[in-house]
Amino acid sequence: MFSYLRRNKSLAVGVVLLSLLALFIIVGNLTVDTELARPLSVRALQPPSWEHPFGTDRQGRDLLAAMVAGTPLTLKIGFIAGFLGVGIGTVLAFIAGYYRGITDTLIRGIADIGLTVPGLLVLIVIAVSVRGGLTVNQMAIVVASLAWLNPTRTIRSQVLTLRERGYVEVARLNGMSGPEIILREMMPNLLPYLAATLVNAVSAAILASIGLEVLGLGPLESPTLGMTLYWINFNAAILNGWWWWWTAPIVIILMVFLGLFFLTVGLDEIANPRLRQSA
Amino acid sequence: MTLLLEARHVTKYFGGGLLDRDSTVALEDFSFAIDSGRPSITAIVGESGSGKTTLARVLLGLVAPTSGTVLYQGRDLHALSGAERRNFRRDIQAIFQDPYGVYNPFYRVDHVLTTPVARFRLARSRTEARGLIEDALRAVGLRPEEILGRFPHQLSGGQRQRVMVARALLLRPHVIVADEPVSMVDASLRATILGSLRQLNQERGISIIYITHDLATAYQVADNIIVLYRANVAEAGDVERVVKAPQHPYTQLLITSIPQVSTERTWLNEQPVAQRIAPGQTGCRFVERCPVAMPVCQTMPPPLSRTEPRRVVACHHHPDPAGAQQNVLADMFVES
Amino acid sequence: MNAPGMNASGMNAPGMNASVLRVEHLRVSYDHPLGSVRAVDDVSFSLRAHERFGLAGESGSGKSTMALAILRLLRPPGRIDGGEVWLDNIALSSLSDDAMRRLRLAGIALVPQGSMNALNPVLRIRAQIADALGDHDMALSRSDLAARVRDLLGQVGLPPEVAEMYPHELSGGMKQRACIAIAICLRPKVIIADEPTSALDVVVQRQVMATLARVQQDLGAAVVLVGHDMGLMAQFVDRLGVMYAGRLVEIAPIAEIIAAPRHPYTQMLIASLPSLERKGMMQGIPGLAPLLRDLPPGCAFHPRCPQAVARCRTERPVLREVAGGIEAACHLA
């Protein structure tokens, strides 16, 4: 395992970054009082000090507490939306790719049309239609509603290729039914690809959710990363010189995206044997 | 006597849908029969484009014929009930050309052996299953300890192909359809694999349909031979007769084109010259390359004629003394 | 037959007609995490102009690796470990990358395995030939180019219309002949053909090989035919080298090899060819080809050899002359 990480540097970097984040969240939640992430908990606009290592914001939130409480929320949205998206996408992809015919044309058609519509626009429309603002879980569902489009297409292509393999034909000759062939013969060979797609989808979901939040359409009460950015914007923190306010969330967002990106590249190498470096 | 597997006037076209006016005929009016009482090895010889792979797929029920029927024990393949279909799948096994693609790289090679045992409930316990599998491997000359537990890429092409033969054996089929089983295997290993097939026929009464482009191995292995040229049967019958005294010009061409290990070096020089008669819409498909083509060959397709008790030829130079007959091809294989 | 002063491998006694291609003690290895593997082990042979040499062997014998090594087309993890290749009197290892590139196609041409599938599907045949010519700084005017292409196609027996066609419009045999046309466009001195007809049926194979023979004679070039079909070798080549597990085990004029093969592997290889004369004559070679990284001690073939004696298990046989013009690497030859 470790020797492989040494060779697959991208995977190693991704794992390290995400592990650091995980450590931050776990240790943080154990040591820091997350109640301080609520507004009006502490003195406002304090630069970093021993008492408030990340400083405080204009509404009286301890920023360390906000990051410790908010980061897992953002990640949660991303994971739920990503998993839902890839889950739905996989099912649709297999149905379309294996059975072909009119079902395939239908699914493919919907996905293609969906992909041409600007995703953020659709999300905004959905978000504003929901009365009383969104909770974190509702955000996840909203983002998931579009997250299945790309995975459906890409996984379907893989299914089309796998379908022509000799061992699938042998499975048919063994009298296996469609679902059996999909689950036992084709799916195991797709696992690396699905993992890479999943990480990609999570990354895209986080981006979409942050996008919605920055526009003010997110869960106003929660200290998610995107909402923090919204408040930073709303209060013109950059212009006002409250540098500690925007440094922490940006560093964390960078770590999230870089970590996921390197993980994707690393997993891609596993999924696509042709990219593997020769020994 | 029910015929085990029968093809009646099977024709298969590809393409020719709504937007595609050009359809290709892959197989035309093919008839064939296997009598379970007399297990034999039939070789189907043709070059690429002759229709031999399509034939394999049609006989295995993987593809439905455009017209004509394939019957298993007297019942249409595509109208079988679930249980009958399971019997069919067990009774007619296949060995494919590519000894790598047929293995799922995710699983060890045991998977291709354990799956049919489980599906067709061939054993009542794990140990019984293991015993069956080991017997089958030994029957094809492999040592179970060298094969089981390995991944496909750890075995050689010859070993992988032999495992496939062992797999076919497990189910005690009556017919094995082998589609180019040795063309991707080294020459020195071919004899062993083909020898196993011969053994299966002689010792276990399994009929083999051996599909290949290699006339020489077909001659060595088979009892009967069918020579296909561009979707039609050119010549068929007893393999000794067809190879030693070929009647169809295409068969003759095939035989002389095989380079022999001998000190006589005429192979490069002797090239039969075609008459260069342009092909018509109907007429014999071989007319462009035929050294003895006649004007009638361009317009009239040659009927299959019984020229000997165990031979049929489709060539205007060999008309049937008894006049045109139906089901000539199928009859020949079934009659004693 | 060999000219006086030349032995089986075609090596010259000094002062005789120079050979056009000379391979001396070539060694090729592949680096592998589990250790280095010797794919070609101390192979030597040479060719004169007009000569047809066959290199026979099955998968894992090293013959394709050798073809690539001669042209310095090996990529890591493969590398040439030792030995030398001489074209006329130029040592190929001494050439710079650029000089070697210019020599490929112009001095030695390769028709690689499966080349008919490697034709660029979006270029017409004319353009592909022009590509080859252009790469070698042959600045031809359009009409000169058209004439040259037509001429080349004629040499391989293809009608001039083929120049305007795309590869998918051609049959397998025609594609392969187009590849031969590309290989000869710069009039090389040596043509190496690696299994040129393995994907073709027998009738087309004969046409393609006849084309190759004719083209070779017109150019006065030497041909190395790499393959495993002994029947094809018997009918095409003048001299044959048989490879097993990276080593040359027999090398002799083809008539000698057919009449009396000296090495047991050659004997069994010939015997494994199915005959059209009598049924029941198919024999194989029992056992498996050895893993190159795990070669048996002594003679690499001894585990499968029906004639092996105790000496074969311990002492590796050296390729040596056993009769006039015939070399074999066997203790019993």
Side-chain angles (χ1 to χ4, degrees):
Chain A
M1 175 66 187
F2 280 121
S3 62
Y4 182 67
L5 280 180
R6 231 178 292 142
R7 269 193 295 135
N8 190 345
K9 298 211 176 55
S10 316
L11 192 63
V13 171
V15 167
V16 163
L17 281 174
L18 294 176
S19 306
L20 284 176
L21 266 177
L23 210 63
F24 173 70
I25 294 173
I26 297 172
V27 172
N29 270 290
L30 291 173
T31 53
V32 172
D33 181 7
T34 49
E35 288 301 306
L36 295 178
R38 291 181 184 285
L40 300 176
S41 317
V42 294
R43 267 183 73 194
L45 294 177
Q46 297 296 304
S49 63
W50 275 118
E51 209 188 327
H52 303 289
F54 281 13
T56 66
D57 73 355
R58 193 159 190 224
Q59 287 147 329
R61 291 191 188 88
D62 177 300
L63 284 169
L64 176 58
M67 289 299 104
V68 161
T71 311
L73 291 175
T74 304
L75 291 179
K76 178 175 158 193
I77 298 172
F79 279 121
I80 295 180
F83 269 88
L84 267 180
V86 173
I88 299 173
T90 307
V91 171
L92 290 176
F94 270 109
I95 296 176
Y98 185 76
Y99 292 103
R100 310 298 308 274
I102 191 87
T103 338
D104 182 26
T105 320
L106 213 65
I107 294 177
R108 208 163 23 118
I110 298 177
D112 282 344
I113 295 175
L115 282 169
T116 53
V117 178
L120 199 57
L121 217 53
V122 174
L123 291 176
I124 292 174
V125 167
I126 299 178
V128 296
S129 329
V130 174
R131 291 188 171 277
L134 289 170
T135 65
V136 168
N137 291 330
Q138 285 170 336
M139 277 283 296
I141 310 273
V142 166
V143 174
S145 65
L146 288 187
W148 63 270
L149 292 170
N150 216 357
T152 304
R153 276 310 237 134
T154 51
I155 298 174
R156 175 184 169 276
S157 317
Q158 296 292 310
V159 171
L160 287 180
T161 317
L162 280 188
R163 200 173 168 268
E164 304 305 319
R165 291 281 145 84
Y167 55 84
V168 172
E169 195 131 81
V170 170
R172 284 175 71 193
L173 286 178
N174 275 335
M176 279 184 170
S177 65
E180 264 189 287
I181 296 181
I182 289 176
L183 280 172
R184 299 185 72 202
E185 301 288 333
M186 305 213 295
M187 187 77 89
N189 285 303
L190 269 189
L191 286 177
Y193 189 81
L194 288 178
T197 309
L198 186 64
V199 174
N200 224 3
V202 165
S203 183
I206 294 178
L207 190 64
S209 73
I210 291 182
L212 281 181
E213 287 166 357
V214 165
L215 292 172
L217 294 170
L220 289 168
E221 264 85 70
S222 309
T224 60
L225 293 169
M227 284 318 298
T228 310
L229 288 180
Y230 172 71
W231 292 121
I232 289 168
N233 225 4
F234 189 81
N235 292 292
I238 300 174
L239 292 174
N240 277 310
W242 300 319
W243 56 272
W244 58 90
W245 196 351
W246 45 264
T247 312
I250 288 181
V251 168
I252 293 185
I253 291 177
L254 265 178
M255 283 180 73
V256 168
F257 281 114
L258 281 177
L260 289 174
F261 171 74
F262 280 111
L263 200 64
T264 310
V265 172
L267 282 176
D268 206 21
E269 197 192 276
I270 301 179
N272 188 351
R274 261 181 264 163
L275 287 178
R276 285 195 199 133
Q277 313 288 337
S278 47
Chain B
M1 169 204 70
T2 332
L3 295 172
L4 187 59
L5 188 64
E6 200 186 340
R8 282 191 195 160
H9 303 291
V10 167
T11 302
K12 179 69 186 172
Y13 282 84
F14 283 112
L18 271 181
L19 301 170
D20 177 9
R21 229 155 349 124
D22 261 332
S23 60
T24 341
V25 55
L27 200 58
E28 197 160 21
D29 196 15
F30 182 82
S31 302
F32 176 65
I34 295 187
D35 179 355
S36 49
R38 289 186 312 144
S40 61
I41 305 185
T42 307
I44 302 190
V45 175
E47 57 193 59
S48 49
S50 59
K52 56 191 196 324
T53 307
T54 308
L55 179 58
R57 301 175 66 84
V58 165
L59 288 176
L60 286 169
L62 288 171
V63 111
T66 314
S67 71
T69 41
V70 182
L71 305 165
Y72 171 65
Q73 292 188 335
R75 306 248 303 127
D76 186 336
L77 262 196
H78 297 272
L80 292 175
S81 69
E84 284 173 327
R85 209 179 171 90
R86 223 192 343 265
N87 279 341
F88 170 70
R89 285 276 166 249
R90 201 187 147 163
D91 223 4
I92 318 277
Q93 283 301 309
I95 298 173
F96 294 110
Q97 177 178 19
D98 180 0
Y100 194 63
V102 288
Y103 287 87
N104 189 331
F106 186 76
Y107 295 111
R108 295 174 205 270
V109 298
D110 308 33
H111 180 74
V112 301
L113 295 164
T114 52
T115 316
V117 171
R119 287 211 64 79
F120 293 103
R121 291 188 267 273
L122 298 173
R124 277 158 305 201
S125 68
R126 273 262 186 98
T127 25
E128 199 183 329
R130 179 104 186 173
L132 276 178
I133 291 176
E134 290 184 358
D135 284 339
L137 285 173
R138 274 188 220 105
V140 295
L142 289 173
R143 282 198 281 256
E145 57 274 11
E146 282 176 6
I147 302 293
L148 296 174
R150 298 258 175 109
F151 280 97
H153 65 265
Q154 293 174 306
L155 299 180
S156 74
Q159 282 174 313
R160 288 195 291 262
Q161 201 65 317
R162 279 193 271 180
V163 171
M164 275 305 169
V165 178
R167 176 194 168 279
L169 260 193
L170 273 177
L171 293 129
R172 304 197 165 276
H174 281 109
V175 180
I176 294 181
V177 177
D179 187 1
E180 303 259 23
V182 291
S183 51
M184 287 174 96
V185 170
D186 275 335
S188 57
L189 290 172
R190 286 179 193 169
T192 325
I193 296 178
L194 291 177
S196 309
L197 288 179
R198 254 205 106 71
Q199 225 178 340
L200 293 183
N201 171 253
Q202 284 163 345
E203 292 173 11
R204 302 199 191 196
I206 301 178
S207 288
I208 314 252
I209 300 177
Y210 173 55
I211 298 176
T212 182
H213 64 274
D214 183 351
L215 193 58
T217 52
Y219 171 67
Q220 287 293 327
V221 157
D223 308 310
N224 307 309
I225 185 170
I226 301 178
V227 179
L228 287 181
Y229 182 75
R230 285 180 61 190
N232 293 97
V233 174
E235 188 166 0
D238 180 71
V239 77
E240 281 285 356
R241 293 298 301 152
V242 171
V243 168
K244 292 299 172 57
Q247 286 177 339
H248 196 286
Y250 176 60
T251 320
Q252 293 166 349
L253 180 62
L254 270 185
I255 291 172
T256 49
S257 299
I258 298 177
Q260 300 281 8
V261 174
S262 96
T263 39
E264 257 186 65
R265 306 246 292 193
T266 49
W267 181 74
L268 277 178
N269 310 326
E270 274 174 26
Q271 299 264 28
V273 178
Q275 292 289 314
R276 296 241 163 259
I277 296 185
Q281 279 288 70
T282 54
C284 178
R285 288 184 197 276
F286 190 59
V287 75
E288 287 174 281
R289 299 164 71 180
C290 186
V292 294
M294 308 183 287
V296 64
C297 303
Q298 195 179 12
T299 50
M300 248 191 68
L304 269 177
S305 317
R306 189 86 157 255
T307 52
E308 286 169 20
R310 294 194 53 76
R311 159 126 67 163
V312 299
V313 185
C315 179
H316 288 295
H317 287 281
H318 299 275
D320 195 321
Q325 291 170 42
Q326 288 276 48
N327 287 330
V328 153
L329 186 53
D331 288 345
M332 178 187 68
F333 282 109
V334 180
E335 288 168 20
S336 49
Chain C
M1 282 289 104
N2 290 327
M6 192 174 292
N7 61 13
S9 346
M11 297 303 197
N12 298 296
M16 287 297 153
N17 304 346
S19 48
V20 70
L21 178 71
R22 213 159 74 241
V23 174
E24 281 179 1
H25 304 293
L26 193 62
R27 286 184 159 83
V28 175
S29 303
Y30 279 93
D31 289 324
H32 194 270
L34 294 172
S36 202
V37 163
R38 191 47 72 67
V40 175
D41 197 353
D42 193 11
V43 171
S44 308
F45 64 88
S46 77
L47 308 184
R48 281 165 296 150
H50 283 280
E51 191 174 9
R52 293 190 217 147
F53 183 74
L55 205 52
E58 300 180 296
S59 30
S61 59
K63 55 191 201 302
S64 292
T65 305
M66 178 120 89
L68 291 177
I70 292 176
L71 281 141
R72 274 175 56 180
L73 280 174
L74 279 180
R75 297 239 284 250
R79 59 191 162 84
I80 301 182
D81 248 350
E84 184 59 80
V85 179
W86 301 81
L87 182 69
D88 275 338
N89 283 310
I90 310 169
L92 293 188
S93 63
S94 68
L95 296 177
S96 69
D97 284 346
D98 200 52
M100 186 69 217
R101 187 187 64 79
R102 273 182 275 130
L103 195 61
R104 290 189 198 112
L105 213 65
I108 317 183
L110 175 68
V111 182
Q113 231 177 343
S115 47
M116 50 194 233
N117 295 318
L119 284 172
N120 190 329
V122 298
L123 286 182
R124 297 180 205 268
I125 302 295
R126 166 182 44 82
Q128 309 209 32
I129 300 182
D131 255 356
L133 291 168
D135 255 352
H136 289 259
D137 308 321
M138 288 202 63
L140 293 172
S141 69
R142 288 191 67 168
S143 52
D144 278 344
L145 187 63
R148 182 108 185 88
V149 167
R150 221 177 316 132
D151 181 49
L152 278 168
L153 290 177
Q155 280 185 53
V156 295
L158 288 172
E161 303 87 75
V162 168
E164 295 306 313
M165 291 182 167
Y166 289 98
H168 68 264
E169 298 179 272
L170 302 176
S171 71
M174 293 170 90
K175 279 191 285 198
Q176 199 63 345
R177 279 186 277 167
C179 290
I180 295 178
I182 295 176
I184 62 167
C185 67
L186 292 168
R187 312 187 68 82
K189 302 197 185 79
V190 178
I191 304 172
I192 304 183
D194 189 354
E195 308 246 23
T197 54
S198 58
L200 304 172
D201 66 76
V202 277
V203 182
V204 175
Q205 171 178 263
R206 198 207 227 173
Q207 290 167 351
V208 170
M209 295 311 292
T211 306
L212 187 58
R214 195 182 56 242
V215 146
Q216 174 236 358
Q217 267 157 16
D218 289 344
L219 283 178
V223 168
V224 178
L225 178 66
V226 178
H228 61 269
D229 185 341
M230 290 299 278
L232 188 58
M233 294 293 177
Q235 293 292 331
F236 188 80
V237 306
D238 303 317
R239 265 188 313 124
L240 182 68
V242 179
M243 284 186 73
Y244 186 79
R247 304 170 184 165
L248 209 48
V249 297
E250 187 163 355
I251 179 166
I254 189 70
E256 294 288 338
I257 290 196
I258 295 173
R262 298 301 201 273
H263 195 282
Y265 178 61
T266 318
Q267 293 164 3
M268 296 175 88
L269 207 55
I270 295 179
S272 71
L273 229 98
S275 105
L276 279 173
E277 303 295 311
R278 277 207 337 262
K279 277 179 77 102
M281 302 261 304
M282 270 191 90
Q283 299 168 44
I285 306 183
L288 287 178
L291 286 174
L292 286 177
R293 67 165 173 271
D294 204 9
L295 286 178
C299 174
F301 188 61
H302 86 251
R304 305 168 79 185
C305 183
Q307 305 169 41
V309 296
R311 190 177 168 206
C312 305
R313 287 186 267 275
T314 50
E315 197 185 316
R316 180 179 153 180
V318 165
L319 188 70
R320 65 190 203 290
E321 184 153 347
V322 296
I326 304 172
E327 286 176 36
C330 179
H331 295 306
L332 305 169

